Amino acid sequence: MPFLRFVVAVATFCYLTSAAPFKAGFTIKQPPHDPSLHLNGPLSLLKAYEKYNAQPSPLVRRAALTSTGSVIATPTTDDTEYLINVEISSPLPLGSAPSTFTVDVDTSSNGFNLYAPKYGAPGATVTKTVDIGGATVTGQAITLVSDSSGNSNLIGLLYEGKTFYTNAVAQGLPQAVFTADLKKGEPGTYNFGYIDTSQYTGALTYVAVKTVNGFWEFTSNGYAIGSATFVTLSIDTIVDTGTTLLLLPTSAVKAYYAKVTGAAYSADEGGYVFPCAASLPKFTLGIGTYKAVVPGTYVNYAPVNSTTCYGGIQENTGIGFSIFGLTFIKSQFVVFEGTTSPSLGFAAKPT
Protein backbone atom coordinates (compact mmCIF):
# COMPACT_ATOMS: atom_id res chain seq x y z
CA MET A 1 0.00 0.00 0.00
CA PRO A 2 2.77 2.54 0.76
CA PHE A 3 4.24 1.81 -2.66
CA LEU A 4 0.84 2.24 -4.28
CA ARG A 5 0.35 5.59 -2.56
CA PHE A 6 3.79 6.64 -3.76
CA VAL A 7 2.94 5.74 -7.37
CA VAL A 8 -0.36 7.66 -7.15
CA ALA A 9 1.39 10.69 -5.70
CA VAL A 10 4.06 10.70 -8.41
CA ALA A 11 1.43 10.30 -11.15
CA THR A 12 -0.66 13.13 -9.71
CA PHE A 13 2.37 15.42 -9.53
CA CYS A 14 3.33 14.65 -13.12
CA TYR A 15 -0.25 15.33 -14.30
CA LEU A 16 -0.52 18.61 -12.48
CA THR A 17 2.83 19.90 -13.69
CA SER A 18 2.23 18.83 -17.28
CA ALA A 19 -1.33 20.18 -17.34
CA ALA A 20 -0.56 23.43 -15.53
CA PRO A 21 -1.68 26.31 -17.77
CA PHE A 22 1.04 28.67 -16.52
CA LYS A 23 4.65 27.57 -16.95
CA ALA A 24 5.98 30.72 -15.32
CA GLY A 25 4.95 34.11 -14.04
CA PHE A 26 3.49 36.59 -16.50
CA THR A 27 3.00 40.32 -16.91
CA ILE A 28 0.02 42.32 -18.18
CA LYS A 29 0.97 45.78 -19.34
CA GLN A 30 -1.37 48.66 -18.60
CA PRO A 31 -2.23 50.64 -21.73
CA PRO A 32 -1.26 54.33 -21.66
CA HIS A 33 -3.86 56.85 -20.58
CA ASP A 34 -5.76 58.47 -23.41
CA PRO A 35 -5.52 62.23 -22.72
CA SER A 36 -8.72 62.81 -24.70
CA LEU A 37 -10.77 60.93 -22.10
CA HIS A 38 -12.59 63.00 -19.50
CA LEU A 39 -11.65 61.99 -15.95
CA ASN A 40 -14.26 62.89 -13.34
CA GLY A 41 -13.05 62.66 -9.74
CA PRO A 42 -16.38 63.36 -8.00
CA LEU A 43 -18.12 60.83 -10.23
CA SER A 44 -15.50 58.18 -9.46
CA LEU A 45 -16.06 58.79 -5.75
CA LEU A 46 -19.83 58.59 -6.12
CA LYS A 47 -19.50 55.27 -7.99
CA ALA A 48 -17.40 53.85 -5.16
CA TYR A 49 -20.09 54.80 -2.63
CA GLU A 50 -22.81 53.25 -4.79
CA LYS A 51 -20.80 50.08 -5.42
CA TYR A 52 -20.56 49.37 -1.70
CA ASN A 53 -24.04 50.60 -0.81
CA ALA A 54 -22.71 53.59 1.13
CA GLN A 55 -24.57 56.90 1.36
CA PRO A 56 -22.57 59.76 -0.22
CA SER A 57 -22.80 63.21 1.26
CA PRO A 58 -24.96 65.79 -0.57
CA LEU A 59 -21.78 67.65 -1.51
CA VAL A 60 -20.25 64.58 -3.19
CA ARG A 61 -23.46 63.81 -5.04
CA ARG A 62 -23.90 67.38 -6.25
CA ALA A 63 -20.27 67.63 -7.39
CA ALA A 64 -20.58 64.40 -9.37
CA LEU A 65 -23.89 65.22 -10.96
CA THR A 66 -23.12 68.79 -12.03
CA SER A 67 -20.11 67.86 -14.13
CA THR A 68 -19.83 68.57 -17.82
CA GLY A 69 -19.23 65.71 -20.21
CA SER A 70 -17.55 65.01 -23.51
CA VAL A 71 -17.93 61.77 -25.44
CA ILE A 72 -16.45 60.53 -28.69
CA ALA A 73 -18.97 59.89 -31.47
CA THR A 74 -17.72 57.22 -33.88
CA PRO A 75 -19.26 56.95 -37.35
CA THR A 76 -20.43 53.66 -38.83
CA THR A 77 -20.00 52.80 -42.52
CA ASP A 78 -20.76 55.78 -44.77
CA ASP A 79 -21.43 57.95 -41.68
CA THR A 80 -24.88 56.36 -41.39
CA GLU A 81 -24.83 56.79 -37.60
CA TYR A 82 -22.48 58.26 -35.01
CA LEU A 83 -22.29 55.98 -31.97
CA ILE A 84 -21.28 56.87 -28.41
CA ASN A 85 -20.66 54.86 -25.25
CA VAL A 86 -22.93 55.27 -22.23
CA GLU A 87 -22.20 53.76 -18.84
CA ILE A 88 -24.96 52.30 -16.69
CA SER A 89 -24.06 52.42 -13.00
CA SER A 90 -25.48 49.04 -12.00
CA PRO A 91 -26.46 45.81 -13.78
CA LEU A 92 -29.77 45.56 -15.55
CA PRO A 93 -32.30 43.02 -14.19
CA LEU A 94 -32.16 39.27 -14.67
CA GLY A 95 -28.48 38.82 -15.25
CA SER A 96 -25.05 40.34 -15.19
CA ALA A 97 -25.16 42.99 -17.88
CA PRO A 98 -22.15 44.90 -19.17
CA SER A 99 -21.96 48.37 -17.72
CA THR A 100 -21.18 50.08 -21.02
CA PHE A 101 -23.46 50.19 -24.05
CA THR A 102 -22.94 51.66 -27.51
CA VAL A 103 -25.89 53.82 -28.57
CA ASP A 104 -27.01 56.03 -31.43
CA VAL A 105 -27.77 59.66 -30.56
CA ASP A 106 -31.15 60.86 -31.83
CA THR A 107 -32.02 64.52 -31.36
CA SER A 108 -35.56 63.93 -32.65
CA SER A 109 -36.49 61.39 -29.95
CA ASN A 110 -37.19 61.51 -26.22
CA GLY A 111 -36.67 57.79 -25.67
CA PHE A 112 -33.74 55.91 -24.14
CA ASN A 113 -33.74 52.37 -25.50
CA LEU A 114 -31.34 49.49 -24.95
CA TYR A 115 -31.34 46.13 -26.68
CA ALA A 116 -31.06 43.89 -23.65
CA PRO A 117 -33.42 40.92 -24.01
CA LYS A 118 -31.53 38.87 -21.42
CA TYR A 119 -32.09 41.45 -18.73
CA GLY A 120 -35.81 42.07 -18.90
CA ALA A 121 -38.90 41.63 -21.04
CA PRO A 122 -39.06 43.86 -24.13
CA GLY A 123 -40.98 46.99 -23.22
CA ALA A 124 -39.94 46.88 -19.57
CA THR A 125 -38.59 50.13 -18.09
CA VAL A 126 -35.73 50.29 -15.61
CA THR A 127 -34.40 53.34 -13.77
CA LYS A 128 -30.61 53.74 -13.55
CA THR A 129 -27.76 56.21 -13.14
CA VAL A 130 -26.28 57.00 -16.56
CA ASP A 131 -22.90 58.54 -17.34
CA ILE A 132 -22.04 59.96 -20.74
CA GLY A 133 -18.47 61.18 -20.90
CA GLY A 134 -18.61 62.49 -17.33
CA ALA A 135 -22.07 64.06 -17.45
CA THR A 136 -24.21 61.98 -15.10
CA VAL A 137 -27.93 61.63 -14.51
CA THR A 138 -29.64 59.68 -11.75
CA GLY A 139 -33.09 58.18 -12.08
CA GLN A 140 -32.89 57.90 -15.87
CA ALA A 141 -35.69 55.78 -17.33
CA ILE A 142 -34.44 53.21 -19.85
CA THR A 143 -36.71 51.06 -22.00
CA LEU A 144 -35.56 47.54 -22.85
CA VAL A 145 -36.32 46.68 -26.45
CA SER A 146 -36.13 43.67 -28.73
CA ASP A 147 -33.86 43.65 -31.75
CA SER A 148 -36.87 43.47 -34.06
CA SER A 149 -38.21 46.82 -32.82
CA GLY A 150 -35.95 48.74 -35.17
CA ASN A 151 -34.85 51.28 -32.54
CA SER A 152 -32.31 49.35 -30.47
CA ASN A 153 -29.69 51.21 -28.43
CA LEU A 154 -30.85 54.77 -28.92
CA ILE A 155 -30.64 57.82 -26.69
CA GLY A 156 -33.01 60.67 -27.45
CA LEU A 157 -31.97 64.26 -26.73
CA LEU A 158 -35.09 66.34 -27.22
CA TYR A 159 -35.65 69.38 -25.00
CA GLU A 160 -39.01 68.01 -23.79
CA GLY A 161 -39.83 64.92 -21.75
CA LYS A 162 -37.53 63.07 -19.38
CA THR A 163 -34.57 62.76 -21.72
CA PHE A 164 -30.96 62.44 -20.59
CA TYR A 165 -30.50 66.09 -21.57
CA THR A 166 -33.51 67.50 -19.72
CA ASN A 167 -32.71 65.39 -16.66
CA ALA A 168 -29.10 66.58 -16.71
CA VAL A 169 -30.27 70.20 -16.85
CA ALA A 170 -32.70 69.62 -13.97
CA GLN A 171 -29.95 67.99 -11.93
CA GLY A 172 -27.51 70.87 -12.30
CA LEU A 173 -25.71 70.64 -15.65
CA PRO A 174 -23.51 73.79 -15.57
CA GLN A 175 -25.06 75.11 -18.80
CA ALA A 176 -28.32 73.96 -20.38
CA VAL A 177 -26.56 73.02 -23.58
CA PHE A 178 -25.04 70.20 -25.59
CA THR A 179 -23.09 70.45 -28.82
CA ALA A 180 -22.35 68.26 -31.83
CA ASP A 181 -18.99 68.36 -33.57
CA LEU A 182 -19.32 65.40 -35.92
CA LYS A 183 -16.83 64.71 -38.68
CA LYS A 184 -16.89 63.03 -42.06
CA GLY A 185 -15.41 59.54 -41.89
CA GLU A 186 -13.80 59.98 -38.48
CA PRO A 187 -14.76 60.31 -34.81
CA GLY A 188 -16.23 63.56 -33.57
CA THR A 189 -17.64 64.60 -30.20
CA TYR A 190 -20.78 65.45 -28.29
CA ASN A 191 -20.20 67.83 -25.38
CA PHE A 192 -22.63 68.36 -22.52
CA GLY A 193 -22.83 71.41 -20.27
CA TYR A 194 -20.37 73.66 -22.09
CA ILE A 195 -19.40 75.07 -25.48
CA ASP A 196 -15.83 74.39 -26.62
CA THR A 197 -14.83 77.51 -28.55
CA SER A 198 -11.93 75.66 -30.20
CA GLN A 199 -14.40 73.56 -32.19
CA TYR A 200 -15.69 76.40 -34.36
CA THR A 201 -14.57 79.57 -36.10
CA GLY A 202 -16.25 82.95 -36.34
CA ALA A 203 -19.38 83.74 -34.36
CA LEU A 204 -22.21 81.42 -33.48
CA THR A 205 -25.51 82.28 -35.15
CA TYR A 206 -28.55 81.42 -33.04
CA VAL A 207 -32.14 80.86 -34.14
CA ALA A 208 -35.18 80.27 -31.97
CA VAL A 209 -36.63 76.78 -31.97
CA LYS A 210 -40.25 76.38 -33.10
CA THR A 211 -41.66 74.30 -30.25
CA VAL A 212 -45.07 73.48 -31.74
CA ASN A 213 -44.00 69.98 -32.78
CA GLY A 214 -41.51 69.28 -30.01
CA PHE A 215 -38.52 68.96 -32.35
CA TRP A 216 -35.32 70.99 -32.67
CA GLU A 217 -37.13 72.85 -35.46
CA PHE A 218 -36.52 76.21 -37.16
CA THR A 219 -36.93 77.95 -40.51
CA SER A 220 -34.06 78.17 -42.96
CA ASN A 221 -34.32 81.10 -45.38
CA GLY A 222 -32.99 79.54 -48.56
CA TYR A 223 -30.11 77.90 -50.38
CA ALA A 224 -27.39 78.30 -52.98
CA ILE A 225 -25.73 75.75 -55.25
CA GLY A 226 -22.02 76.12 -55.91
CA SER A 227 -21.24 79.79 -56.52
CA ALA A 228 -24.71 80.59 -57.91
CA THR A 229 -27.01 83.28 -56.53
CA PHE A 230 -28.74 82.59 -53.23
CA VAL A 231 -32.35 81.42 -53.67
CA THR A 232 -34.78 82.70 -51.04
CA LEU A 233 -37.03 79.88 -49.86
CA SER A 234 -38.75 79.29 -46.52
CA ILE A 235 -37.62 75.82 -45.40
CA ASP A 236 -39.28 74.48 -42.25
CA THR A 237 -36.75 71.97 -40.95
CA ILE A 238 -35.62 69.95 -37.95
CA VAL A 239 -32.04 69.16 -36.94
CA ASP A 240 -31.88 65.42 -36.46
CA THR A 241 -28.79 63.33 -35.67
CA GLY A 242 -31.00 60.26 -36.03
CA THR A 243 -31.45 60.86 -39.78
CA THR A 244 -28.54 60.21 -42.10
CA LEU A 245 -29.48 62.32 -45.13
CA LEU A 246 -30.29 65.96 -45.86
CA LEU A 247 -33.96 65.98 -46.88
CA LEU A 248 -35.25 69.13 -48.61
CA PRO A 249 -38.14 70.48 -50.70
CA THR A 250 -38.35 68.98 -54.19
CA SER A 251 -37.54 72.29 -55.89
CA ALA A 252 -34.20 72.60 -54.07
CA VAL A 253 -33.26 68.95 -54.66
CA LYS A 254 -34.05 69.11 -58.39
CA ALA A 255 -32.10 72.36 -58.70
CA TYR A 256 -29.06 70.74 -57.07
CA TYR A 257 -28.92 67.62 -59.18
CA ALA A 258 -29.51 69.67 -62.34
CA LYS A 259 -25.95 70.89 -61.73
CA VAL A 260 -24.51 67.38 -61.43
CA THR A 261 -23.55 65.75 -64.73
CA GLY A 262 -25.27 62.39 -65.16
CA ALA A 263 -27.50 62.72 -62.09
CA ALA A 264 -31.02 61.36 -62.31
CA TYR A 265 -33.87 60.14 -60.16
CA SER A 266 -33.76 56.35 -59.90
CA ALA A 267 -37.03 54.50 -59.41
CA ASP A 268 -35.03 51.42 -58.42
CA GLU A 269 -33.15 53.29 -55.68
CA GLY A 270 -36.04 55.59 -54.74
CA GLY A 271 -33.86 58.67 -54.92
CA TYR A 272 -31.30 60.64 -56.87
CA VAL A 273 -28.14 58.90 -58.04
CA PHE A 274 -25.17 60.05 -60.09
CA PRO A 275 -21.87 58.75 -61.50
CA CYS A 276 -19.47 58.25 -58.61
CA ALA A 277 -16.81 60.17 -60.54
CA ALA A 278 -19.08 63.22 -60.91
CA SER A 279 -17.98 66.57 -59.55
CA LEU A 280 -20.45 67.68 -56.88
CA PRO A 281 -21.00 71.39 -56.12
CA LYS A 282 -21.18 72.65 -52.58
CA PHE A 283 -24.62 73.28 -51.13
CA THR A 284 -25.26 76.33 -48.95
CA LEU A 285 -28.19 76.77 -46.56
CA GLY A 286 -29.30 80.09 -45.08
CA ILE A 287 -29.66 80.28 -41.29
CA GLY A 288 -30.46 83.86 -40.36
CA THR A 289 -27.52 85.86 -41.64
CA TYR A 290 -25.24 82.83 -41.58
CA LYS A 291 -24.56 80.73 -44.66
CA ALA A 292 -23.88 77.09 -43.74
CA VAL A 293 -21.83 75.33 -46.41
CA VAL A 294 -22.08 71.59 -47.05
CA PRO A 295 -19.06 70.52 -49.14
CA GLY A 296 -19.89 68.70 -52.36
CA THR A 297 -17.98 65.61 -51.22
CA TYR A 298 -20.44 65.22 -48.34
CA VAL A 299 -23.30 64.83 -50.83
CA ASN A 300 -21.77 61.59 -52.12
CA TYR A 301 -23.44 59.34 -49.57
CA ALA A 302 -22.67 55.78 -50.65
CA PRO A 303 -22.05 53.62 -53.73
CA VAL A 304 -24.99 51.84 -55.33
CA ASN A 305 -22.60 49.82 -57.48
CA SER A 306 -19.10 50.22 -58.89
CA THR A 307 -20.04 53.26 -61.01
CA THR A 308 -23.16 54.80 -59.45
CA CYS A 309 -23.51 56.58 -56.11
CA TYR A 310 -26.49 57.61 -54.00
CA GLY A 311 -27.02 61.24 -53.09
CA GLY A 312 -26.85 62.58 -49.56
CA ILE A 313 -29.47 65.18 -50.53
CA GLN A 314 -32.94 63.78 -51.22
CA GLU A 315 -36.57 64.94 -51.29
CA ASN A 316 -38.66 65.34 -48.14
CA THR A 317 -41.83 64.19 -49.91
CA GLY A 318 -44.63 63.21 -47.54
CA ILE A 319 -42.76 64.05 -44.33
CA GLY A 320 -44.25 67.49 -43.82
CA PHE A 321 -40.95 69.26 -43.09
CA SER A 322 -37.30 69.13 -44.11
CA ILE A 323 -34.63 67.33 -42.12
CA PHE A 324 -31.10 68.56 -41.64
CA GLY A 325 -29.58 65.14 -40.97
CA LEU A 326 -26.00 63.97 -40.65
CA THR A 327 -25.04 65.03 -44.20
CA PHE A 328 -25.59 68.59 -42.97
CA ILE A 329 -24.69 68.24 -39.27
CA LYS A 330 -21.19 66.86 -39.83
CA SER A 331 -20.40 69.97 -41.90
CA GLN A 332 -21.22 72.33 -39.01
CA PHE A 333 -20.65 72.97 -35.32
CA VAL A 334 -24.14 72.76 -33.85
CA VAL A 335 -25.35 73.97 -30.45
CA PHE A 336 -28.56 72.67 -28.86
CA GLU A 337 -29.43 75.03 -26.03
CA GLY A 338 -32.17 75.48 -23.47
CA THR A 339 -35.29 73.57 -22.45
CA THR A 340 -38.09 76.07 -21.78
CA SER A 341 -37.04 78.48 -24.56
CA PRO A 342 -34.76 76.34 -26.72
CA SER A 343 -32.53 77.64 -29.48
CA LEU A 344 -30.05 76.31 -32.00
CA GLY A 345 -26.62 77.70 -32.76
CA PHE A 346 -24.52 77.16 -35.88
CA ALA A 347 -20.97 77.98 -36.86
CA ALA A 348 -18.33 76.90 -39.35
CA LYS A 349 -15.55 74.54 -38.30
CA PRO A 350 -11.82 75.19 -38.42
CA THR A 351 -10.28 74.04 -41.70
Side-chain angles (χ1 to χ4, degrees):
M1 291 297 292
F3 177 74
L4 179 59
R5 286 196 295 270
F6 172 77
V7 171
V8 171
V10 171
T12 301
F13 173 78
C14 292
Y15 170 78
L16 291 175
T17 55
S18 64
F22 304 114
K23 302 296 185 182
F26 63 97
T27 300
I28 298 176
K29 292 185 177 181
Q30 178 180 338
H33 168 61
D34 183 349
S36 69
L37 296 178
H38 178 85
L39 299 180
N40 186 327
L43 180 60
S44 297
L45 180 58
L46 177 62
K47 288 180 178 178
Y49 279 120
E50 291 181 340
K51 179 178 180 180
Y52 295 103
N53 298 316
Q55 184 63 38
S57 72
L59 291 178
V60 169
R61 182 173 294 279
R62 176 169 179 77
L65 301 182
T66 57
S67 297
T68 59
S70 180
V71 64
I72 294 174
T74 304
T76 59
T77 303
D78 298 320
D79 298 349
T80 301
E81 300 174 320
Y82 285 76
L83 305 179
I84 66 170
N85 287 335
V86 301
E87 186 172 334
I88 311 300
S89 66
S90 56
L92 296 174
L94 304 182
S96 177
S99 62
T100 301
F101 290 81
T102 301
V103 304
D104 182 26
V105 175
D106 187 351
T107 54
S108 68
S109 170
N110 58 11
F112 193 155
N113 302 330
L114 291 181
Y115 172 53
K118 296 180 181 179
Y119 315 119
T125 299
V126 295
T127 302
K128 298 294 177 183
T129 298
V130 176
D131 170 28
I132 300 180
T136 306
V137 163
T138 61
Q140 177 65 54
I142 301 171
T143 301
L144 306 183
V145 298
S146 65
D147 194 40
S148 61
S149 66
N151 58 353
S152 302
N153 288 19
L154 174 150
I155 180 169
L157 294 179
L158 281 176
Y159 54 85
E160 292 184 334
K162 296 294 185 180
T163 67
F164 176 86
Y165 170 58
T166 60
N167 286 337
V169 171
Q171 294 178 24
L173 193 68
Q175 288 182 254
V177 66
F178 69 94
T179 65
D181 180 22
L182 306 182
K183 302 178 186 297
K184 178 177 170 58
E186 61 180 285
T189 56
Y190 287 101
N191 294 337
F192 293 86
Y194 70 105
I195 297 174
D196 185 345
T197 57
S198 71
Q199 293 183 336
Y200 66 92
T201 60
L204 281 163
T205 297
Y206 283 92
V207 291
V209 167
K210 299 160 63 176
T211 58
V212 63
N213 294 315
F215 294 120
W216 292 99
E217 183 176 0
F218 75 103
T219 300
S220 167
N221 54 26
Y223 67 92
I225 300 168
S227 57
T229 303
F230 187 82
V231 176
T232 300
L233 179 67
S234 179
I235 304 174
D236 178 28
T237 187
I238 69 171
V239 181
D240 180 16
T241 59
T243 295
T244 304
L245 306 175
L246 173 54
L247 305 182
L248 294 167
T250 297
S251 61
V253 177
K254 286 185 174 181
Y256 181 81
Y257 287 111
K259 301 296 184 181
V260 178
T261 302
Y265 184 87
S266 167
D268 290 338
E269 301 302 327
Y272 281 86
V273 299
F274 47 82
C276 293
S279 177
L280 301 175
K282 65 183 179 181
F283 190 79
T284 302
L285 286 157
I287 303 174
T289 58
Y290 173 61
K291 300 297 187 288
V293 177
V294 179
T297 54
Y298 287 30
V299 183
N300 188 335
Y301 171 55
V304 173
N305 53 45
S306 60
T307 59
T308 303
C309 284
Y310 193 82
I313 294 176
Q314 298 291 343
E315 296 174 329
N316 65 357
T317 306
I319 297 176
F321 46 78
S322 293
I323 302 178
F324 287 11
L326 294 173
T327 296
F328 169 82
I329 295 170
K330 64 189 177 185
S331 73
Q332 304 295 310
F333 179 76
V334 185
V335 177
F336 302 80
E337 186 165 4
T339 53
T340 56
S341 298
S343 60
L344 288 160
F346 301 90
K349 295 183 181 184
T351 56

